[in-house]
């Protein structure tokens, strides 16, 4: 697997993304690959609502901040061990943001969470990988 030189781990900052980041770190170590971590805040779910979603949005952001802090500890530990990790924080349509970053950084492998989550989580986080998988120009590992 010499073609794995640049790995992108996609995190939606949920409780399921820790395994995604851990798997990516392990693969980057195994293949001596560059590691990129994208923290995506999918805002597609906000479009089309006429009713204020303030309560959901506040709770969602609070949860995401908690899980992002946990991921930051994991990432910082790896940096202290000498692993170069580049992080990106983006907001928008997940499929579009991920595909743009793959092209910009010449990513060879994308690691995504395979967990579908609840209906509410899918609405708030963007839950479905379908749009991403269909347009992916590189290899994918679902965790």
């Amino acid at each position: 697997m010499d073609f794995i030189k640049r790995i992108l781990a996609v995190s939606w900052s949920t409780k399921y993304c820790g395994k995604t980041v851990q798997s990516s770190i392990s693969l980057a170590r195994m293949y001596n690959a560059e590691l990129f971590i994208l923290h995506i805040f999918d805002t597609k779910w906000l479009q089309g609502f006429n009713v204020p979603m303030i309560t959901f949005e506040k709770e969602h952001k609070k949860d995401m901040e908690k899980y992002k802090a946990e991921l930051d500890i994991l990432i910082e530990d790896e940096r202290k061990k000498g692993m170069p990790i580049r992080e990106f924080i983006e907001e928008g349509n997940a499929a579009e943001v991920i595909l743009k970053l793959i092209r910009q950084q010449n990513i060879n492998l994308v690691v995504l969470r395979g967990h579908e989550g609840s209906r509410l989580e899918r609405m708030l986080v963007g839950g479905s990988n379908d749009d991403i998988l269909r347009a992916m120009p590189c290899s994918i590992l679902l965790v």
Side-chain angles (χ1 to χ4, degrees):
M1 291 224 195
D2 288 342
F3 69 92
I4 298 177
K5 297 295 180 195
R6 300 169 75 87
I7 298 171
L8 173 64
V10 179
S11 165
W12 276 269
S13 297
T14 69
K15 64 182 176 181
Y16 305 104
C17 293
K19 288 184 181 179
T20 304
V21 172
Q22 288 173 334
S23 297
S24 301
I25 289 169
S26 179
L27 285 168
R29 196 178 300 125
M30 183 184 307
Y31 293 107
N32 199 26
E34 291 181 67
L35 181 58
F36 301 80
I37 299 176
L38 171 62
H39 302 282
I40 183 91
F41 299 96
D42 193 334
T43 57
K44 188 169 70 173
W45 68 274
L46 287 172
Q47 298 170 2
F49 280 99
N50 294 328
V51 185
M53 297 290 287
I54 295 169
T55 305
F56 282 129
E57 191 174 356
K58 283 182 182 178
E59 283 296 315
H60 179 58
K61 283 185 178 184
K62 185 175 153 186
D63 285 344
M64 289 177 81
E65 288 170 5
K66 173 186 159 197
Y67 294 122
K68 170 84 170 66
E70 291 173 7
L71 290 173
D72 287 343
I73 293 169
L74 175 66
I75 293 165
E76 191 56 37
D77 284 348
E78 290 303 317
R79 281 191 174 129
K80 287 178 184 175
K81 294 175 188 174
M83 179 176 283
I85 299 174
R86 292 179 56 193
E87 286 185 272
F88 299 87
I89 300 173
E90 297 288 339
E91 186 174 297
N93 179 299
E96 292 171 8
V97 171
I98 292 167
L99 291 170
K100 180 181 171 186
L101 189 62
I102 288 169
R103 290 185 181 104
Q104 286 176 343
Q105 301 299 327
N106 297 315
I107 300 297
N108 308 113
L109 176 68
V110 175
V111 182
L112 295 167
R113 60 153 172 59
H115 182 269
E116 283 294 323
S118 67
R119 287 182 186 176
L120 179 61
E121 182 178 298
R122 285 202 315 249
M123 182 182 80
L124 296 177
V125 176
S128 176
N129 289 332
D130 292 346
D131 293 342
I132 300 164
L133 297 176
R134 291 180 211 277
M136 195 61 62
C138 62
S139 298
I140 306 161
L141 174 65
L142 293 176
V143 177

